[in-house]
Amino acid sequence: MADRVLDAESLKREHLVVSLSGAHAYGFPSHDSDLDLKCIHIAPTAALLGLQPRHVTAERMEVLEGVEVDYSSNELQPVLLGILQGNGNYIERVLGAITVRALPELESLRPLVRATLSRRIHRHYRGFAYGQLREWEKSGFKSVKKLLYVLRTTLTGTHALRTGEVETDVTVLLEPYGFGQARALVERKRNGEHIELDDALGEQWRREVTRAFEVLDAADEASVLPLEPQPEAVAALEGWMLDVRRRRFGA
């Protein structure tokens, strides 16, 4: 199913990387989980230097054999700028999600992206998690999936701030950061997208979610990452991008 979509979209643009995100990358897929394909593509350099240069975001969503396939792709330059600003969505496409397809250049990009990570990611992960908390609230604090999204985001941010490594699988992060009891939630979610909590568990996890944000904030204070991306790392990343552009000028 994913191959059918990717083969069609690859005729339109060159993908640097195709990553499988969502529940599959976060450690709690169920039989009815969609396929969330997050991509980075490289536009031909000449197309970016014309009178009307564009960095077009491509999106496609369809249901194939009962499974929703959600495809989106962003062009390389805005992705790298977003990474420098701490955008975890883009960082995870390079470092954290499940790689489905990739060009050889991805391997040389990964260490350069790691070198640019900074405490700017705290703002992204906190803001993203807060938005997901609001979504959980809209479910009446019942949706197991939405609760796990809050935990996944806060703990991925916590781990990155403390170690400099990007880990999206929440099952790897639960015990190290004191949320081992959430493993039962993971098992529930694997039974289906729409599994709900009872009222007592919902109330319990409202308190635990507050602690997850506190853990994330404490990680920012104790982070191994610099406050801002280091100039030499930014220069190396830009050099990599310019080299990629030169090799695709006439493509």
Side-chain angles (χ1 to χ4, degrees):
M1 290 174 287
D3 284 339
R4 192 186 314 177
V5 171
L6 292 175
D7 289 345
E9 295 301 320
S10 294
L11 296 174
K12 304 173 187 177
R13 62 194 63 86
E14 183 182 28
H15 294 113
L16 171 66
V17 62
V18 176
S19 295
L20 180 60
S21 186
H24 291 88
Y26 303 160
F28 44 82
S30 53
H31 66 279
D32 52 350
S33 292
D34 63 359
L35 295 178
D36 192 6
L37 302 171
K38 299 292 187 183
C39 313
I40 303 169
H41 64 268
I42 306 172
T45 305
L48 300 174
L49 300 175
L51 292 175
Q52 295 180 315
R54 295 186 300 166
H55 297 94
V56 179
T57 298
E59 296 181 339
R60 174 176 177 173
M61 185 174 68
E62 59 186 283
V63 177
L64 298 172
E65 300 175 23
V67 177
E68 183 177 287
V69 180
D70 189 357
Y71 163 96
S72 63
S73 186
N74 298 83
E75 211 282 321
L76 177 64
Q77 190 256 8
V79 167
L80 296 184
L81 284 177
I83 285 172
L84 293 177
Q85 292 300 318
N87 186 315
N89 186 312
Y90 292 153
I91 292 168
E92 289 174 15
R93 296 187 198 192
V94 177
L95 299 179
I98 299 170
T99 301
V100 177
R101 298 184 182 183
L103 294 178
E105 287 96 329
L106 181 65
E107 286 307 309
S108 58
L109 174 61
R110 281 173 166 160
L112 299 176
V113 168
R114 288 191 189 96
T116 65
L117 296 182
S118 72
R119 286 172 60 183
R120 288 177 177 179
I121 65 174
H122 173 257
R123 179 179 179 183
H124 167 87
Y125 278 105
R126 200 181 204 290
F128 193 18
Y130 186 79
Q132 292 169 332
L133 177 60
R134 296 280 72 81
E135 290 298 313
W136 186 43
E137 181 180 21
K138 289 177 185 177
S139 79
F141 300 105
K142 290 184 177 296
S143 170
V144 174
K145 174 184 175 179
K146 294 183 186 302
L147 168 57
L148 284 173
Y149 268 63
V150 179
L151 292 175
R152 196 292 297 186
T153 306
T154 52
L155 295 184
T156 293
T158 294
H159 189 69
L161 287 162
R162 287 196 172 274
T163 69
E165 297 295 326
V166 178
E167 177 58 69
T168 63
D169 187 339
V170 74
T171 66
V172 176
L173 303 172
L174 292 174
E175 277 83 8
Y177 295 104
F179 292 88
Q181 59 186 320
R183 196 164 288 277
L185 298 177
V186 171
E187 295 307 315
R188 285 192 180 205
K189 166 59 181 63
R190 287 174 176 165
N191 291 321
E193 289 283 290
H194 305 293
I195 301 297
E196 294 189 343
L197 300 167
D198 59 37
D199 290 342
L201 272 177
E203 183 61 32
Q204 173 190 336
W205 278 103
R206 287 173 71 174
R207 295 190 296 273
E208 288 297 291
V209 160
T210 298
R211 185 166 65 87
F213 281 90
E214 292 171 352
V215 168
L216 175 61
D217 291 342
D220 182 41
E221 294 298 322
S223 180
V224 301
L225 299 176
L227 280 171
E228 306 285 338
Q230 299 300 288
E232 61 273 17
V234 176
L237 185 64
E238 183 175 44
W240 179 93
M241 185 187 73
L242 292 174
D243 184 57
V244 167
R245 297 297 197 206
R246 289 188 192 100
R247 286 186 275 113
R248 287 168 173 77
F249 182 80

